[in-house]
Amino acid sequence: MCGIIGYVGPKNVVPVLLDGLKRLEYRGYDSAGVAFLQQGALQIYRSVGKIKDLENTLWGKDLAGDIGVGHTRWATHGRPSEANAHPHVDCTGELVVVHNGIIENYVPLKEKLIAEGHRFTSETDTEVIAHLIEQYLEGDLEAAVRRALREVAGAYAIAVLWRGDPDRLVGARCSSPLVVGIGEGEFLVASDIPALLSHTRNVLFLEDQEIAVISREGVTVTTMEGDPIQRPATQISWSPVLVEKGGYKHFMLKEIHEQPRAIRETLLGRYSLEAGEIYLDGMEAVAEILPVLQRVVLVACGTSWHAALVGKFLLEELCRVPVEVDYSSEFRYRELILGSDTLVLTISQSGETLDTLVALREAKRRGCRVVSIVNVVGSSIARESDGVCYTHAGPEIGVASTKAFTAQLTALYLLALYLGRRRGVLDASRVQELLPPLLRLPQLAEETIRCDQVVERLSHLYSQHTDFLFLGRGINYPVALEGALKLKEVSYIHAEGYPAGEMKHGPIALIDARMPVVILAPQDRTHPKILANIQEVKARGGVVIAVGTAGDPELRALVDHCITIPATTPHLTPILMVMPLQLLAYHIAVRKGCDVDQPRNLAKSVTVE
Ligand code: AGP
């Protein structure tokens, strides 16, 4: 998630911009920049790396100015570089834009603008906005922004500064947040409240398809059609620490609740329901191997390995190709039978897990094509892969992976459809059938996460237990493993994930009232068997916490506690099933007073072997 700050007022603008960007650092970024007006001239400074690198660039420069914009970039399109850092300019160099979001249709827009003579200097989707505004600029900046945004599809929050209108900034939003700060003779726009608090606690939240114009005189808000909007300001009472977490107590909880948006943004621009097609850029390597593809090997660690286990079901069922799954740390010690007919797919949130990076290099050394599902643009694994499918989950701050996992499953589903189409296993009409449930997923995820309070109450009953068993069948067995890992990681309680069918081959000896059993029981073809497993646990005095499909009275009658998820297809059930487990782990850990965001002994990215 990028960070945006804009300021107009009596203060010297550059320190205001840098302070605002520092308060947005938690959003994660890989480059930063500022632009401001100085005696009528537009000054622009950008740098790769952190804000301190930008400050080094600014050192010794004349930084006087009273209006400007700043940006921290979390790369989505185009690697981290100075050229790709924001602010981006138009051809005249007199107009700058900073942007947070994803412009779905930037490729055709860029082609059209280049054909009309515009010169681009970056690989980003954002730059098309600067040239579009330039295209329509005839003295009225607000009108030009309005016309430009009518051509844009996707998610955006922007701030625009033009030398020709030196007293005003124009902001606009669609799906990405933008907040207006209302001070005394000074006004700001920002991606999030933390950047405003040192100037004002009086804020105004923009809604989708709204445009704000700020000047020293005040702020006006209008619809995309130009109709004025009167909206009262909100007084922010949060502490700065709480504000950084968006009002949530921990980043982990914030990121659990961000999953609908992470799924939505991972889907953005990658499908056509009308055509029954999937579009994944950066997959040329796959096209080359498809004619001879005999096998896919998935390689990952931890939560990403659990995603790989789900991916096996998706790829085998939707692409009809044999799939193996291996821990990265084990992959390199096997006498691997790999060749040019094998596609190796690595999965990594950080893109820096050394075990996975080494496995990737081993696979390439043996002549395999390697494609990766990664969350961090420009990370080592991304750079060394032949192709990358990025999850657009935004930076994941909590050590326990949550939104990255569900974004990985979303990307795996897209990849399975993509490969199925290109292998001729799925025709367009079948993809048209499979897409609607996927597109409903963000809404279903919103509904699923509403179980938060139910799960919090449940955590009061089970936070003192010392052992848990998580059971699932089929595509949900990996979710049982993930639920156990989440609980282990953040609450330090021993937890095991097991295939429910394996219980009778050993684990059933553990069952008694002291060990809660969490059972994943969706209404799919495993349902009757899962109900039998529940009865086996209950017959031995066990306690069952079930996660089931809404409207399943048979399940509810059998168990001690039942958390429900909305119905969806079996392939997509894991994405919803995991959310109550994430919340259970989180709330138990909070009740135990654990350091939820930075659990003991753990690192967010394991860059050692
Ligand atoms: C997950 O909650 C853990 N933090 C850990 O297992 C993690 O998934 C693993 O280290 C792999 O990290 P990666 O996805 O960044 O490669």
Side-chain angles (χ1 to χ4, degrees), residues 63 75 94 122 188 216 295 310 327 346 376 442 454 468 483 559 602:
L63 302 178
E94 297 187 351
S122 83
L188 305 96
R216 285 184 182 225
R295 192 158 54 107
V310 175
Y327 282 113
T346 75
V376 180
V454 167
F468 277 73
V559 299
L602 293 180

Side-chain angles (χ1 to χ4, degrees), residues 301-304 347-350 353 399-401 485-486 489 606:
C301 300
T303 287
S304 298
I347 303 174
S348 177
Q349 186 285 129
S350 62
T353 298
V399 166
S401 188
L485 176 61
K486 288 282 105 33
E489 272 193 283
V606 182

Side-chain angles (χ1 to χ4, degrees), residues 298 307-321 323 408-417 426 475 569-575:
L298 298 174
L309 290 174
V310 175
K312 174 181 171 68
F313 285 90
L314 299 176
L315 289 164
E316 288 185 337
E317 292 176 22
L318 295 170
C319 307
R320 307 308 300 149
V321 63
V323 178
Q408 286 167 351
L409 297 187
T410 304
L412 280 162
Y413 192 82
L414 284 171
L415 187 59
L417 298 180
L426 295 176
I475 198 170
T569 64
H571 287 144
L572 298 174
T573 299
I575 295 175

Side-chain angles (χ1 to χ4, degrees), residues 76-77 99-109 125-126 128-129 132 148-158 172-177 207-210 224 261 264-271 392:
T76 54
H77 294 76
H99 165 233
N100 176 32
I102 295 176
I103 306 302
E104 273 187 67
N105 60 339
Y106 85 96
V107 172
L109 285 175
D125 54 338
T126 301
V128 298
I129 301 175
L132 272 178
L149 292 179
R150 286 200 189 104
E151 296 194 33
V152 164
Y156 58 77
I158 62 170
R173 71 152 282 177
C174 177
S175 296
S176 294
E207 302 292 341
D208 279 356
Q209 305 293 328
E210 290 182 351
M224 198 54 81
R261 187 178 59 73
R264 187 177 298 114
E265 297 215 352
T266 298
L267 292 171
L268 265 185
R270 291 172 156 173
Y271 63 88
H392 294 310

Side-chain angles (χ1 to χ4, degrees), residues 291-481:
V292 298
L293 181 66
Q294 293 301 314
R295 192 158 54 107
V296 175
V297 177
L298 298 174
V299 181
C301 300
T303 287
S304 298
W305 182 75
H306 297 150
L309 290 174
V310 175
K312 174 181 171 68
F313 285 90
L314 299 176
L315 289 164
E316 288 185 337
E317 292 176 22
L318 295 170
C319 307
R320 307 308 300 149
V321 63
V323 178
E324 287 175 51
V325 180
D326 223 337
Y327 282 113
S328 304
S329 54
E330 290 297 314
F331 177 79
R332 58 191 299 206
Y333 297 114
R334 294 202 294 124
E335 279 309 310
L336 297 161
I337 303 171
L338 295 177
S340 56
D341 62 356
T342 304
L343 175 66
V344 172
L345 175 60
T346 75
I347 303 174
S348 177
Q349 186 285 129
S350 62
E352 299 299 344
T353 298
L354 189 54
D355 283 328
T356 304
L357 184 58
V358 170
L360 176 157
R361 290 168 178 162
E362 183 63 16
K364 293 187 75 170
R365 192 178 68 79
R366 292 166 178 263
C368 296
R369 288 286 186 205
V370 179
V371 160
S372 297
I373 293 177
V374 180
N375 194 42
V376 180
V377 175
S379 55
S380 302
I381 288 171
R383 288 198 312 274
E384 297 192 28
S385 298
D386 296 308
V388 186
C389 176
Y390 284 113
T391 46
H392 294 310
E396 191 174 63
I397 312 297
V399 166
S401 188
T402 51
K403 63 176 182 174
F405 177 67
T406 46
Q408 286 167 351
L409 297 187
T410 304
L412 280 162
Y413 192 82
L414 284 171
L415 187 59
L417 298 180
Y418 177 85
L419 285 174
R421 284 288 290 127
R422 277 146 191 80
R423 282 173 52 83
V425 173
L426 295 176
D427 60 22
S429 59
R430 179 66 179 132
V431 171
Q432 283 169 331
E433 290 168 7
L434 292 169
L435 273 175
L438 179 63
L439 305 184
R440 273 198 301 277
L441 217 45
Q443 177 50 42
L444 298 184
E446 294 281 7
E447 292 172 25
T448 301
I449 293 170
R450 288 184 199 138
C451 71
D452 193 353
Q453 288 181 358
V454 167
V455 175
E456 182 179 13
R457 285 197 296 275
L458 203 53
S459 69
H460 295 200
L461 304 175
Y462 296 101
S463 58
Q464 297 312 313
H465 286 72
T466 56
D467 297 279
F468 277 73
L469 187 61
F470 288 73
L471 301 177
R473 281 182 181 262
I475 198 170
N476 294 297
Y477 158 51
V479 182
L481 295 174

